Amino acid sequence: ATERQRFISYLNLAKTSISPDYMIVTGTYAQMNNGTAPMFANISLYDLFVWMHYYVSHDALLGGPGNVWSDIDFAHESAAFLPWHRVYLLFWEHEIRKLTGDFNFTIPYWDWRDAEDCQVCTDELMGARSSLNPNLISPSSVFSSWK
């Protein structure tokens, strides 16, 4: 129970803490007038990792006009799946450690191989489904207020 509460409180802290080291781009190179009008925004530490995971799953810009590798998700549909996620989680642990000062923090491992349902989808852990709308998290979950 203590470890679970610490994990959830660290996630909440990351969600409400602006990253001191990173920002995200909010426009394309063309929208930034070929780079002369930068468009960046602050981001919470948690949302930075959501953004990184989302961004790696989209088209790859290879440089030059029209040189885009479409329809590939390098993080999930290639040989890079395991190493990419390992580095991603190590980086996430590192950032949580810096944020909290808890250098013993590790992301819990859950063995999903034999799971018949989502065993962490409870209000005590990551959030159950809402009985009012199964596309939403239960209002009893700490994460239901997140945007």
Side-chain angles (χ1 to χ4, degrees):
T2 302
E3 289 179 352
R4 179 179 67 229
Q5 187 54 46
R6 183 178 69 181
F7 177 68
I8 290 171
S9 69
Y10 287 0
L11 290 180
N12 262 322
L13 181 62
K15 180 68 173 174
T16 59
S17 298
I18 298 298
S19 171
D21 300 317
Y22 301 98
M23 301 178 85
I24 60 166
V25 65
T26 59
T28 66
Y29 189 69
Q31 290 170 325
M32 292 186 274
N33 195 23
N34 296 326
T36 61
M39 298 169 67
F40 295 96
N42 287 325
I43 191 166
S44 78
L45 188 59
Y46 182 89
D47 288 341
L48 171 67
F49 281 83
V50 171
W51 185 87
M52 286 170 42
H53 197 266
Y54 170 83
Y55 196 80
V56 76
S57 302
H58 287 75
D59 296 347
L61 308 175
L62 301 175
N67 194 6
V68 176
W69 193 347
S70 308
D71 303 321
I72 184 139
D73 175 346
F74 284 105
H76 301 102
E77 299 173 351
S78 73
F81 178 86
L82 291 175
W84 187 88
H85 281 87
R86 184 65 184 131
V87 168
Y88 175 78
L89 291 175
L90 286 171
F91 185 36
W92 178 224
E93 282 182 346
H94 174 75
E95 291 299 314
I96 292 289
R97 288 172 180 168
K98 282 186 356 188
L99 176 67
T100 64
D102 181 352
F103 293 95
N104 293 315
F105 171 78
T106 57
I107 295 173
Y109 172 77
W110 191 266
D111 187 349
W112 294 90
R113 290 176 295 182
D114 297 325
E116 294 183 20
D117 60 5
C118 182
Q119 297 169 341
V120 296
C121 296
T122 66
D123 286 337
E124 295 76 32
L125 293 171
M126 304 312 292
R129 290 186 187 270
S130 168
S131 59
L132 303 173
N133 182 344
N135 295 321
L136 299 176
I137 285 181
S138 162
S140 301
S141 168
V142 68
F143 302 111
S144 66
S145 64
W146 286 19
K147 300 280 186 244

